Amino acid sequence: MADVQQATPHRHDSVRLAVIVGALGVVFGDIGTSPIYTLQTVFSPDDPHPVPVSADNVYGVVSLIFWSVMIIVTVTYILLALRIDNDGEGGIMALIALLRRQAAAPGRRTAALLAAVGIFGASLFFGDSMITPAISVLSAVEGLKIVEPSFDSWVVPITAVIIVLLFTVQRRGTAAVGRVFGPVMIAWFLAIGALGITGITSEPQILKALSPTYAAGFLAGHFGIAFFALAAIVLAVTGAEALYADMGHFGRRSITRGWLFLVLPACTLSYLGQGALILKDQANVGSPFFLLAPGWARLPLVLLATAATVIASQAVITGAFSVASQAGKLGYLPRLRIAHTSESSIGQIYVPWINWLLLVSVLTLVFAFRSSAALAYAFGMAVTGTITITTLLSLYVARKRWGAPLWLIGGGAVLLLLVDLLFVAANLTKLVHGAWLPLAIALTAFTLMTTWQRGRRIITAERERLEGPLREFIDQIRDGTCATQRVPGTAVFLNRGKLTAPLAMRANVEHNHVRHEHVVIMSLETEPVPRVPQQDRIVIDDLGYAHDGIFHVIVRYGYLEAPNVPAALALLDPGTTEGQLDLDEASYFLSKIELRPGDSPTMATWRKRLFMATAHATADAADYFGLPRDRTVIMGSRVEV
C-alpha cells in the first residue's frame, strides 16, 4: 500500500508533465516562432516608415518588444483571460457564448452588442489563420538565403510545396504527429534560448533593455519613430490568442507554466541576443535571427525553424477548424461536415470545407506577397484587432462574473486597452501596404456570419408558420380529424423544437395517412457550454398523452460535442418512452427546406443571395446527425427568404 501511495504522486507528475509538453507543441507554436521575423521587420529598409538603426533605437525596440509581450501576453492573457472560462473552455467563441448567456437576460443590450463585436474578432481570427501559415513558413524557408544566397529564387516554390503538403495531411488528423510536436518545440526553445545567450555574451549591455525606462524613453523621446515601429513590434505577440483558445485542451496551469518557465525566457533571450548582434554590427540587421547561429549551424537551424513553423501553422489551422465548428453550433455558420480525427483527444477535428478554403487562400498570399516582410504589415492588423476585442470582452465578463470593483476594471481597461489601441492605430498606418487584407477578410466573414444568423431566424419563423402547433396536430391525430392507419415500427422525426409539428411528420400523416406505432419527435439543442453532462442531456415530454406512442425528446449538446441521434436514442429508458423502441429497425425522417428568394423586405437582395449561396455549404444532415443511410427518409418543402 505504501508503494502505491508513493507511486501516485509520481504518476500525477508524469501526467502534468505530459500535458505541459503537449501544450508546448500546440499552444506556443505561433508565438514561439515570432523571433524569426519580428526584429528584422522592425528595422527593414523596405518599411514605408523605417526605423533608423542606432544604438538608442535598438535598446528602445528590444525593450518595447519585451514589455509589450509582458503586458499583452502575461497580463492580458495569462493573468486575466485564462481565468475566464466557459466550463473550462477558452477562446473568443467561449467569450461570445458567455456574453450571449448574459444577453438573454432583460436589459442586457451591452452584452448583446459586445457579442456582435466578438463575432468580428472571430472573423479576424480567420484572417489570422490564412496569414500565419504563409508568413511563418516563408520566414523559415527564407533562412536558406543566409545559408546560400543563390537559393533566393527557391524560397517561394519550397514554401508552396510545404503548405500544400501541410493542408493535404490535415484529413489524417494531428493525433499521430501530436506526440512529436512537444519535443520538437522544446528543442526549438532550447536552441533559440542558447543562441540568444551567445549573442548577449558578445554585448552584455543589451540587458539594460529589460528596464521599462528604455521602452518608455523610446516612446516619449522618439514617438514619431516608435509609433510606426509598433506595427512590426506587435509581431512578437502573434499567437497570444492560441494560449486562450486551447485552454480547454491543456488547462490554465499547464499553459501558464509552459509560458513562464520556458517560452517567455527563451523568446526574451532570443530578442536580447538579436539586439546585441545588431549593436555589434549593424550589417546584421538583415537577418539577426539566423545570423546568431555559427555558419555550421545555420542549415540545421533553418530545418528546425521550418519544422517549428509547420507546427505553428498546424495549431492555427486546427484553431480555425474549432472556431468554424463552434460558430456553426452557435448559429453563425451553416452546419459543416466535420470529421473527428482522434478517439482520445477532444477537439481534434477536420473540417474539409474550411481546410481547402484556407489552402487556396494561403497559397494566394504566398504568391502575391512573396516575402515574410511584405506579409508582416497584413499580419499585425489581424493580431491587434483580435487582441483588443479579447481584452474588451474579458474585462466586461470579469466585471459581471467576479463583481470586481468598477475602479479596478476601469483602471485595467485604461492601461490594457491603451496599449492595444496604440498597436491598432500603428497598424492602421499600414492600410495601403497590406493591413487592409485582414480587415477585408474579417468584414467578409463577419458579413457572412451575421447574414447567416439573420437568414436562419427568418427561415425558422417561416418554417414554424408552415409546421403549425405540435400539440394541436397531436390532438387532430387522436380525435380522428387526420385519419391515419397505425403501422408497426419506430419512426424518429428530427425537428427544431417542441412547439411545432415536423414537416416530414405532417406530410406523412396528411398525404400518406399513416403513423408508426412509436413516434419519436426529437429536437437537438446546442447549449452555450462546451459539454453537457450525461445526466442533463435528455428531456422527455409525452405531449399530453401517456399511452399514444407519440412523445418528444430534447437532446442537449455542448458546442464542442458532435451530435449522434442513434446514440442519444440508446440512452432512453423504456419506462419513459411508452414502450420498447425498435432502434435496430427505426426509420428516420428529415425535413429538407428548399430556399427561394421572396419579395418580402426581410433582408437586402444581395444578402438573400449570399444566404442561399452559403446554404450550399451545409453538411448532409444524415451524416451530421449520425443517421443510418438505408433507414433515412428525406421529405422536402419550399420556403421563401
Side-chain angles (χ1 to χ4, degrees):
M1 187 68 178
D3 292 339
V4 174
Q5 290 176 341
Q6 290 177 357
T8 300
H10 294 295
R11 284 200 297 270
H12 288 324
D13 291 341
S14 299
V15 170
R16 283 196 294 266
L17 181 61
V19 174
I20 293 173
V21 171
L24 289 168
V26 175
V27 177
F28 300 107
D30 194 359
I31 198 168
T33 53
S34 296
I36 298 176
Y37 46 78
T38 299
L39 210 57
Q40 78 175 46
T41 303
V42 173
F43 292 107
S44 172
D46 297 328
D47 193 302
H49 306 98
V51 178
V53 183
S54 67
D56 288 344
N57 289 349
V58 170
Y59 282 116
V61 166
V62 173
S63 186
L64 263 182
I65 289 175
F66 175 73
W67 286 104
S68 296
V69 169
M70 291 299 292
I71 292 173
I72 293 175
V73 182
T74 307
V75 177
T76 299
Y77 281 91
I78 297 295
L79 297 182
L80 174 62
L82 260 66
R83 296 179 183 274
I84 302 171
D85 66 285
N86 184 19
D87 289 352
E89 292 295 330
I92 199 161
M93 292 307 298
L95 283 173
I96 292 169
L98 289 171
L99 287 165
R100 282 180 46 159
R101 196 183 302 172
Q102 293 179 358
R108 296 289 187 178
R109 293 183 180 178
T110 303
L113 176 61
L114 289 176
V117 174
I119 292 300
F120 187 74
S123 302
L124 278 168
F125 183 78
F126 284 119
D128 190 359
S129 304
M130 296 175 186
I131 300 171
T132 293
I135 190 173
S136 297
V137 179
L138 265 175
S139 66
V141 178
E142 283 170 350
L144 290 173
K145 296 187 295 184
I146 305 301
V147 177
E148 176 54 59
S150 62
F151 286 160
D152 188 8
S153 60
W154 288 93
V155 169
V156 171
I158 291 174
T159 299
V161 169
I162 292 173
I163 286 171
V164 169
L165 291 174
L166 174 64
F167 281 94
T168 302
V169 301
Q170 289 302 310
R171 60 188 178 87
R172 300 182 180 274
T174 59
V177 294
R179 289 189 293 271
V180 302
F181 279 8
V184 169
M185 291 309 296
I186 289 174
W188 168 256
F189 289 123
L190 291 176
I192 68 173
L195 290 174
I197 291 173
T198 62
I200 293 170
T201 55
S202 66
E203 290 287 339
Q205 294 295 312
I206 192 63
L207 292 173
K208 294 188 297 184
L210 294 176
S211 169
T213 57
Y214 282 86
F218 184 52
L219 271 173
H222 305 82
F223 185 78
I225 297 175
F227 175 72
F228 292 113
L230 291 175
I233 288 173
V234 73
L235 298 176
V237 298
T238 58
E241 183 67 21
L243 276 68
Y244 190 25
D246 286 310
M247 182 172 65
H249 303 321
F250 301 101
R252 180 173 62 86
R253 286 188 176 182
S254 298
I255 293 173
T256 300
R257 290 173 180 175
W259 170 253
L260 294 177
F261 296 120
L262 181 59
V263 182
L264 175 60
C267 290
T268 300
L269 289 171
S270 179
Y271 288 123
L272 289 170
Q274 292 179 57
L277 194 69
I278 297 172
L279 287 177
K280 186 177 180 180
D281 185 353
Q282 294 185 5
N284 293 325
V285 76
S287 185
F289 177 81
F290 288 106
L291 290 174
L292 269 177
W296 61 268
R298 286 173 187 165
L299 183 58
L301 182 61
V302 170
L303 297 176
L304 182 59
T306 303
T309 54
V310 167
I311 292 172
S313 302
Q314 174 66 59
V316 78
I317 293 167
T318 303
F321 292 162
S322 179
V323 169
S325 172
Q326 294 176 37
K329 291 176 180 178
L330 289 175
Y332 293 106
L333 284 177
R335 183 179 62 243
L336 300 174
R337 185 168 73 85
I338 297 172
H340 290 261
T341 59
S342 173
E343 295 181 0
S344 58
S345 299
I346 297 172
Q348 289 194 8
I349 59 175
Y350 169 63
V351 186
W353 197 86
I354 297 295
N355 185 70
W356 303 122
L357 175 64
L358 287 178
L359 172 59
V360 172
S361 302
V362 172
L363 287 177
T364 301
L365 292 176
V366 168
F367 287 109
F369 286 85
R370 306 189 67 83
S371 74
S372 60
L375 267 171
Y377 309 134
F379 201 17
M381 193 71 251
V383 173
T384 55
T386 305
I387 289 173
T388 303
I389 291 172
T390 298
T391 303
L392 179 63
L393 270 54
S394 297
L395 288 167
Y396 180 84
V397 174
R399 165 69 175 163
K400 296 300 179 182
R401 172 179 283 195
W402 299 333
L406 187 58
W407 64 265
L408 180 61
I409 295 295
V414 169
L415 173 63
L416 298 179
L417 290 175
L418 177 62
V419 173
D420 293 346
L421 291 174
L422 264 176
F423 279 111
V424 170
N427 277 275
L428 286 174
T429 65
K430 310 292 185 182
L431 271 179
V432 296
H433 304 285
W436 60 269
L437 178 64
L439 291 178
I441 295 171
L443 285 171
T444 301
F446 180 79
T447 302
L448 187 95
M449 288 197 280
T450 53
T451 298
W452 181 261
Q453 183 191 35
R454 172 64 179 158
R456 187 169 173 266
R457 288 177 179 172
I458 295 169
I459 293 301
T460 299
E462 179 62 16
R463 181 171 178 164
E464 289 174 352
R465 187 187 67 81
L466 294 173
E467 291 172 338
L470 176 59
R471 296 280 184 147
E472 182 180 308
F473 184 58
I474 299 299
D475 291 339
Q476 292 173 356
I477 294 176
R478 283 188 59 84
D479 63 22
T481 304
C482 295
T484 59
Q485 180 180 350
R486 195 162 181 173
V487 297
T490 299
V492 181
F493 293 90
L494 268 66
N495 202 35
R496 291 182 177 271
K498 63 184 290 187
L499 298 179
T500 60
L503 288 174
M505 182 180 177
R506 185 176 285 278
N508 211 30
V509 168
E510 294 178 351
H511 299 288
N512 298 330
H513 304 292
V514 297
R515 55 154 293 197
H516 290 72
E517 181 181 5
H518 295 288
V519 176
V520 183
I521 303 171
M522 178 176 283
S523 303
L524 283 74
E525 295 183 355
T526 300
E527 301 292 326
V529 296
R531 285 170 287 275
V532 172
Q534 202 80 324
Q535 65 271 18
D536 299 330
R537 190 173 299 283
I538 291 177
V539 178
I540 298 176
D541 185 349
D542 62 12
L543 299 175
Y545 303 100
H547 304 291
D548 64 348
I550 303 175
F551 61 96
H552 185 272
V553 178
I554 295 176
V555 186
R556 296 191 177 111
Y557 290 98
Y559 60 82
L560 288 181
E561 296 180 294
N564 188 299
V565 170
L569 289 170
L571 298 174
L572 297 177
D573 181 357
T576 63
T577 59
E578 305 179 18
Q580 183 70 42
L581 303 180
D582 184 9
L583 298 182
D584 292 333
E585 298 296 329
S587 298
Y588 297 89
F589 292 83
L590 294 172
S591 304
K592 184 177 181 180
I593 300 297
E594 182 182 353
L595 301 177
R596 285 286 183 269
D599 297 327
S600 57
T602 52
M603 288 193 296
T605 303
W606 67 268
R607 294 193 78 178
K608 291 181 179 182
R609 291 175 179 171
L610 176 61
F611 177 74
M612 290 188 293
T614 306
H616 290 298
T618 304
D620 180 82
D623 287 341
Y624 186 82
F625 295 120
L627 305 181
R629 282 278 182 184
D630 57 339
R631 289 185 280 122
T632 299
V633 179
I634 299 176
M635 307 182 78
S637 181
R638 180 174 295 179
V639 173
E640 290 189 351
V641 182

